[in-house]
Structures are given as structure tokens and as C-alpha cells.
Amino acid sequence: MDPLTLSTISLILAIAVLAENTIGLWRITQGIKAVQEGIKVIHEDAKTLQEGQKAIMEALDRISKRLEKQY
């Protein structure tokens, strides 16, 4: 094979490897985005649970105060 043919083959292989790496990086980026979205949902759910816990504690406090007044 002449040098031009070898160079052309090498260039084609390099482009193929670059394409595969680009696809791999894109998939990694999509995975990271999915993880970030999952963390966001978990954070929102935790906040909702904390708000619910606070409401329950406040209701229990009011019930406790009413019971103290009765007895």
C-alpha cells in the first residue's frame, strides 16, 4: 500500500473512533442528566415529607394543648 492509502485508512479509523467516543460522551451526559433529575425529584419529595411532618407535629401540639386545658 502506498502512503496516501495508509494515511486515508488511518484518518477514516480515527474519525470512526472519534464518532464512537462522541456517542459515548453523549450517553454519559444523558445519564448524568437523568441522575440530576432523579436527585431533584428526591429533594422535592423530601421537602414535601418535611412539610407534612411539620404539619403533623403542629396538629399534635394543638391537640396536646386542648387536652391539657380539659384536664
Side-chain angles (χ1 to χ4, degrees):
M1 285 191 200
D2 65 0
L4 181 59
T5 303
L6 289 175
S7 295
T8 303
I9 291 171
S10 295
L11 184 58
I12 290 170
L13 290 174
I15 291 171
V17 169
L18 179 61
E20 287 181 21
N21 288 343
T22 301
I23 292 169
L25 289 173
W26 180 80
R27 287 181 179 160
I28 290 168
T29 301
Q30 295 304 308
I32 290 170
K33 287 179 182 178
V35 169
Q36 287 174 332
E37 187 61 32
I39 290 170
K40 181 180 176 184
V41 170
I42 290 169
H43 179 71
E44 291 170 358
D45 288 349
K47 186 177 178 183
T48 301
L49 287 172
Q50 288 174 342
E51 291 169 355
Q53 182 184 17
K54 182 180 177 185
I56 290 169
M57 294 303 291
E58 290 170 354
L60 289 174
D61 190 44
R62 287 192 302 272
I63 291 169
S64 176
K65 287 178 182 177
R66 287 183 192 163
L67 289 175
E68 287 175 1
K69 288 180 183 178
Q70 289 180 358
Y71 298 104

